[in-house]
Amino acid sequence: MTPDPIPGADVPALSIRDLRKTYDNGVEALKGISLEVAPGDFYALLGPNGAGKSTLIKILLGLLPATQGRARVLGLDVTADSEAIRQRVGYMPEHDR
């Protein structure tokens, strides 16, 4: 007997295409990021303060709109399905700003 497939195992865990974020003050936090993470892979976001790590996470959770580009988390669109994404992904910010 074969086990039931894991929901979402046939789609990338994370798919980002040309994601950009420019704040109202002109600061470009994200400059065209593209990345795909396969199910089961692990990645880390490393960089100095102001590199865009928190901005990227907030966009992926639907907490902040991107200026341009598309992203999907577990096959769900970050704009249309943000609530469903947040039900599946844990997020604990160091500071809530």
Side-chain angles (χ1 to χ4, degrees), residues 4 8 24 32 35 49 52 68 77 82 89 96:
D4 291 333
D24 292 339
L35 171 71
N49 291 345
Q68 181 181 322
D77 182 83
S82 62
V89 176
D96 191 17

Side-chain angles (χ1 to χ4, degrees), residues 30-96:
L30 302 177
K31 300 176 182 180
I33 293 176
S34 293
L35 171 71
E36 190 160 297
V37 177
D41 283 357
F42 292 88
Y43 282 75
L45 295 175
L46 301 174
N49 291 345
K53 303 175 300 289
S54 295
T55 297
L56 176 60
I57 296 295
K58 288 177 184 178
I59 290 171
L60 294 176
L61 293 173
L63 300 173
L64 185 68
T67 304
Q68 181 181 322
R70 299 181 333 191
R72 298 181 79 79
V73 176
L74 304 173
L76 301 167
D77 182 83
V78 298
T79 302
D81 304 313
S82 62
E83 186 174 326
I85 291 169
R86 288 192 301 272
Q87 289 174 351
R88 291 166 173 80
V89 176
Y91 172 60
M92 177 61 91
E94 183 177 355
H95 303 286
D96 191 17

